Amino acid sequence: MKYSSNKDVNSFARHLVVDGWRFKRGKKHGKLVAPGGRGIVVIPSTPGKKRALRELESLVKRIKTGN
């Protein structure tokens, strides 16, 4: 499944799904729901910023640590 047109964001999202996150497709952006419903991360289908992956990683880290 393709989560994003950016290869790095797509790869990161694929690893999260393997780790138990659920993917929900939206009209413009997909969403990854953390295991146990602890949080939601929006996946940009066509990220416009070079730092999109870093921001995504930061959000996931915050959800995993509970901050």
Side-chain angles (χ1 to χ4, degrees):
M1 173 176 258
K2 191 168 184 177
Y3 303 102
S4 175
S5 63
N6 181 295
K7 65 178 180 165
D8 297 325
V9 172
N10 193 48
S11 176
F12 185 68
R14 188 175 293 126
H15 287 292
L16 289 175
V17 170
V18 169
D19 286 342
W21 291 59
R22 288 182 296 126
F23 182 74
K24 291 184 174 184
R25 183 158 308 278
K27 288 185 179 185
K28 292 188 176 186
H29 303 289
K31 296 175 185 140
L32 284 171
V33 180
R38 293 183 309 222
I40 296 174
V41 176
V42 176
I43 301 292
S45 55
T46 55
K49 296 189 258 184
K50 289 188 176 202
R51 63 179 183 259
L53 178 61
R54 269 189 293 159
E55 290 175 357
L56 183 61
E57 290 171 336
S58 176
L59 287 170
V60 169
K61 184 179 177 182
R62 253 189 273 164
I63 290 173
K64 285 183 175 181
T65 61
N67 292 335

